[in-house]
Amino acid sequence: MSDTTTSTSAPTEALPAEIRSRLVLALDVDDMVAATRLARELQPWFATAKVGLELFSAAGPDAIASLAQLGFDVFYDAKLHDIPTTVGRAARVLGALGARYVTMHAAGGVAMLRAGVEGLREGAARADLPEPVALAITVLTSDLEASEHVLRQRVTTALDAGCDGLVCAVPDVAIIREMAPATTVVTPGIRAARAPVDDQARVATPQEALDSGVDLLVIGRAVTRSENPTEAAASLLGNLTL
C-alpha cells in the first residue's frame, strides 16, 4: 500500500538549504503509509529521514527504498551490536539497500565497529552507490549514569575502528570536538525549550545543538506527534541560524 497524497500546507523551501541539510526527521511510527505522509508533509524542513527499529520492524527494507525514492538521504538507526561477523554481514546488506547513514554501538568494540564500517562500504560499492556514513553511538541520551571516562573510551574506540561519525547528546559535543574535531557529530534529543523530555533525559533546543557544533540534528516527536506537524516544524525550526 502506498500513500499518494501530497501536502500543500508548507512552502516548497521552508528553510535555507544549508540549514535543511542539517536536519533529520525521525519517523518513529509503525506504519509505512503514515511514515510516507509525514515525510512528504515535512520534506521542506528536512533533507534526511530516519528509519528506526519501529518502522523497520513494520515495513522492512522497503522503508529505506521508499524514502530514498522521495528524495531523502536515509538514516537507518540500526544500532548494530553483535559479533563482528554478524555486524559486518548485516552492514553489507544495509549499504546495498542505499542507507546513507547507519548506526552501530561503540560499546561493541573496535573489531565489531570495523566489521560494520567495512561491510557498509562494501555493500554500497557493490551496488554502485555513494559511500555511506558509519555512525558510532557513544552514550544514549537516556543514559544519566555513563561517566566522561566511558564517553572518551567509546569515542576512541570508534575512531580506531574508522567510523565516519559519532552519535551523542548535546552536552557531550564539547568533549567529542576536542577529541575528533573533523568527525561528523549527530545528536538526538532535540526539543523546544521547556518541552517535555519524554524518555530522553539529556536534551537541547535546535539552536543550542547547532551552536555547540553539531552537524546533524535528529528531530522526531517534537514535530511528528504534534496535531499539526507543519506548524510544529515552523515553530521549532523557522528561526534557526548557523
Side-chain angles (χ1 to χ4, degrees):
M1 179 182 295
S2 62
D3 177 33
T4 58
T5 62
T6 58
S7 172
T8 57
S9 57
T12 303
E13 294 185 4
L15 286 178
E18 62 271 22
I19 294 179
R20 180 175 172 270
S21 67
R22 308 276 285 272
L23 302 178
V24 181
L25 174 63
L27 294 167
D28 294 326
V29 296
D30 62 3
D31 179 87
M32 195 62 218
V33 172
T36 301
R37 185 181 297 116
L38 280 168
R40 284 178 168 154
E41 181 177 353
L42 294 167
Q43 195 161 20
W45 303 92
F46 298 89
T48 301
K50 182 179 83 71
V51 175
L53 296 178
E54 185 176 3
L55 182 56
F56 196 85
S57 296
D62 286 346
I64 295 174
S66 296
L67 292 166
Q69 287 172 2
L70 290 178
F72 287 96
D73 284 337
V74 180
F75 183 130
Y76 179 35
D77 193 15
K79 296 184 172 71
L80 296 174
H81 192 175
D82 210 312
I83 63 173
T85 298
T86 298
V87 167
R89 290 175 177 175
R92 188 180 303 123
V93 173
L94 296 173
L97 287 174
R100 173 68 175 145
Y101 305 93
V102 174
T103 62
M104 49 198 78
H105 274 291
V110 172
M112 188 210 79
L113 290 176
R114 185 175 292 124
V117 170
E118 293 173 354
L120 192 61
R121 291 173 181 169
E122 182 181 335
R126 287 183 177 181
D128 197 25
L129 293 170
E131 186 170 296
V133 179
L135 298 170
I137 296 171
T138 56
V139 177
L140 295 174
T141 52
S142 59
D143 190 347
L144 291 173
E145 304 299 325
S147 66
E148 181 179 324
H149 171 74
V150 169
L151 174 64
R152 289 182 178 274
Q153 184 180 55
R154 290 179 182 173
V155 171
T156 299
T157 297
L159 297 176
D160 289 346
C163 291
D164 306 295
L166 299 161
V167 182
C168 68
V170 170
D172 298 337
V173 173
I175 291 172
I176 288 176
R177 283 296 181 214
E178 169 202 324
M179 298 179 68
T183 198
T184 297
V185 176
V186 182
T187 56
I190 304 300
R191 298 284 190 277
R194 296 178 297 280
V197 300
D198 301 309
D199 55 350
Q200 293 184 320
R202 299 186 299 147
V203 301
T205 68
Q207 192 62 59
E208 287 170 343
L210 288 175
D211 291 346
S212 74
V214 170
D215 297 296
L216 293 173
L217 285 64
V218 180
I219 299 167
R221 285 172 283 190
V223 171
T224 60
R225 298 294 173 88
S226 171
E227 291 184 5
N228 189 320
T230 299
E231 287 185 1
S235 175
L236 185 66
L237 307 172
N239 296 317
L240 291 180
T241 59
L242 293 177

